[in-house]
Amino acid sequence: MSDVSGSSGRVLVVDDSEVIRHLIRVNLELEGFEVVTAADGAECLDIVHAVQPDVITLDVVMPRLDGLRTAARLRADPLTSGLPIAIVSACTQLDLERGESVGVDAYLGKPFEPMELIALVRRLSEARTAFRSE
């Protein structure tokens, strides 16, 4: 994996839909983000340490390991506990409450406008950068 100079940050996009992963990737790359994708939570946990993302986006409903259980595992790992996590999914009220209880930072409902996604990821990435420099 190579760093992209002038990059806005690295985003790990986790969604079981190849179409959604591609849509998110294209929109974020057009805004200068480096994007790595995973097809489910288990794959996310397998690669997160190697990828070292600045932000993670998670779908909720995925095979093997869903987004909320993935978020809980990321929060429990000292190496990933501070990573900004955004749920990008068609969420129920229960999903929102469960996400809040495991420490999800933000939510974006599907379907979403690309500019909403970009603004959300940029805000989380900038907050992480500010946190690192303190």
Side-chain angles (χ1 to χ4, degrees):
M1 247 169 287
S2 61
D3 282 335
V4 176
S5 343
S7 163
S8 297
R10 183 176 294 146
V11 182
L12 176 53
V13 174
V14 187
D15 198 300
D16 59 325
S17 165
E18 187 175 343
V19 171
I20 298 294
R21 287 193 312 269
H22 181 74
L23 173 72
I24 293 173
R25 172 194 287 274
V26 166
N27 280 285
L28 292 176
E29 285 179 344
L30 286 171
E31 294 297 317
F33 288 95
E34 180 182 352
V35 179
V36 179
T37 63
D40 60 35
E43 185 180 354
C44 168
L45 295 177
D46 287 344
I47 67 172
V48 69
H49 294 290
V51 171
Q52 297 184 339
D54 297 299
V55 177
I56 298 175
T57 69
L58 293 169
D59 186 16
V60 171
V61 179
M62 296 183 288
R64 296 200 298 166
L65 189 61
D66 72 39
L68 295 173
R69 291 188 319 190
T70 302
R73 290 191 189 180
L74 290 165
R75 288 292 180 245
D77 179 341
L79 297 175
T80 59
S81 63
L83 286 175
I85 299 172
I87 295 292
V88 179
S89 188
C91 297
T92 66
Q93 186 59 40
L94 179 61
D95 291 333
L96 295 174
E97 290 165 9
R98 284 182 55 215
E100 203 170 284
S101 73
V102 299
V104 169
D105 298 293
Y107 301 89
L108 182 61
K110 289 179 183 173
F112 56 84
E113 290 294 325
M115 292 312 292
E116 291 177 297
L117 170 74
I118 292 160
L120 173 67
V121 170
R122 182 168 284 130
R123 180 173 53 82
L124 292 175
S125 179
E126 288 170 356
R128 173 137 172 94
T129 302
F131 176 76
R132 279 184 180 164
S133 63
E134 287 179 358

